[in-house]
Amino acid sequence: MRTIFMGTPDFAVPTLNNLIKNHEVLAVFTQPDKPKGRGQKMQPPPVKEVALKNNIPVYQPQKLRNNDEVIDLIKKLNPDVIVVVAYGQILPKAILEIPKYGCINVHASLLPKLRGAAPINWAIINGFKTTGVTTMLMDVGLDTGDMLLKKEIEIKDDETAGELHDRLMIIGADLLIETLKKIEEGSIVPQKQEDSLSSYAPMLTKEMGHVKWDGDNNKIYNLIRGLLPWPGAYFYYKNNMIKIWKAKIGNNNISDIPGKILNVTRDGIEIACKEGSIIITELQEMGGKRMSVDSYLNGHQIEVGSIVE
């Protein structure tokens, strides 16, 4: 198929690579370069780097809505299909109507569950046991279009959002190629989403990561995993912000003051929750390096019985 690809982050890269191998990619649309790091050097999106290596024209409009220049360009390119993966902009109706086979989105949840910006993170935060990828025909709504194919997988008990992300981006890339094949064969029947079964996965904020210890240890553990690697769960100890990189569920029979440090060993720092406890095994102080608790205790003292916030 003659395709246009729209995507931006790492999650979109495997799908673009698969498209390049299997179809004709006419152009790539991605978000504008952004300043990054201490030097604020302009950094291209991962998708742009792949496109340039493969000599594919790249376009980075600030907006698509009411952009006649972009609409005219897409019409001239005359794609059979537009593939969208984590692009970061909503496609206006004027673009949705251009391709022969429509615009197809690769979404990292089992729709209609977890529509929105951060489905991978919220699947873990919400304690889901399974998730997956859905390909769908895009419409003017937010992830509300007709579903094409789905692939379901189990979420591992100790899996972080970053690890799940890396699995789903490969699954999504393969599912997209299968979807296009079935569209060409005419063997796919779009299915409408049941809106009453839908849920929302809003964008993440740094503030979400501030752990409230007056909750169930399972929910706190899910929050920690679901916010890794960004924005990360954290707490304050003697006014120092500490990010949690690794943790495990502790004693479920504990009844103590939420946030109280119960035990400190080289294997971990155990903190009481309203129900049970959490044992932190890897952490990072603000401005410091990520390290194991064993290494951290070589230069820091953590007092049993003190309270974290």
Side-chain angles (χ1 to χ4, degrees), residues 151-221:
K151 175 71 173 180
E152 183 175 0
I153 62 168
E154 289 187 3
I155 300 174
K156 300 173 185 176
D157 290 341
D158 60 350
E159 195 163 23
T160 66
E163 292 163 344
L164 183 57
H165 166 284
D166 291 351
R167 286 207 292 150
L168 289 176
M169 70 180 184
I170 302 302
I171 291 167
D174 293 339
L175 192 66
L176 185 275
I177 297 303
E178 183 183 351
T179 300
L180 293 183
K181 181 174 182 292
K182 288 182 180 293
I183 286 174
E184 285 185 295
E185 295 170 347
S187 62
I188 199 163
V189 179
Q191 290 184 311
K192 294 214 171 286
Q193 296 189 42
E194 180 56 62
D195 289 338
S196 64
L197 300 177
S198 69
S199 57
Y200 184 54
M203 290 180 67
L204 305 176
T205 65
K206 288 186 179 180
E207 291 72 25
M208 281 179 56
H210 192 174
V211 175
K212 305 295 187 288
W213 299 99
D214 58 346
D216 172 86
N217 60 351
N218 283 286
K219 290 183 178 179
I220 292 172
Y221 180 59

Side-chain angles (χ1 to χ4, degrees), residues 6-46:
M6 295 183 174
T8 300
D10 288 325
F11 187 83
V13 167
T15 303
L16 176 56
N17 282 328
N18 266 8
L19 272 177
I20 292 168
K21 292 175 187 175
N22 292 278
H23 295 273
E24 180 185 1
V25 182
L26 306 169
V28 164
F29 284 74
T30 189
Q31 294 286 72
D33 297 2
K34 289 185 178 180
K36 194 174 183 181
R38 290 183 180 178
Q40 292 293 285
K41 184 179 179 181
M42 296 301 286
Q43 185 76 23

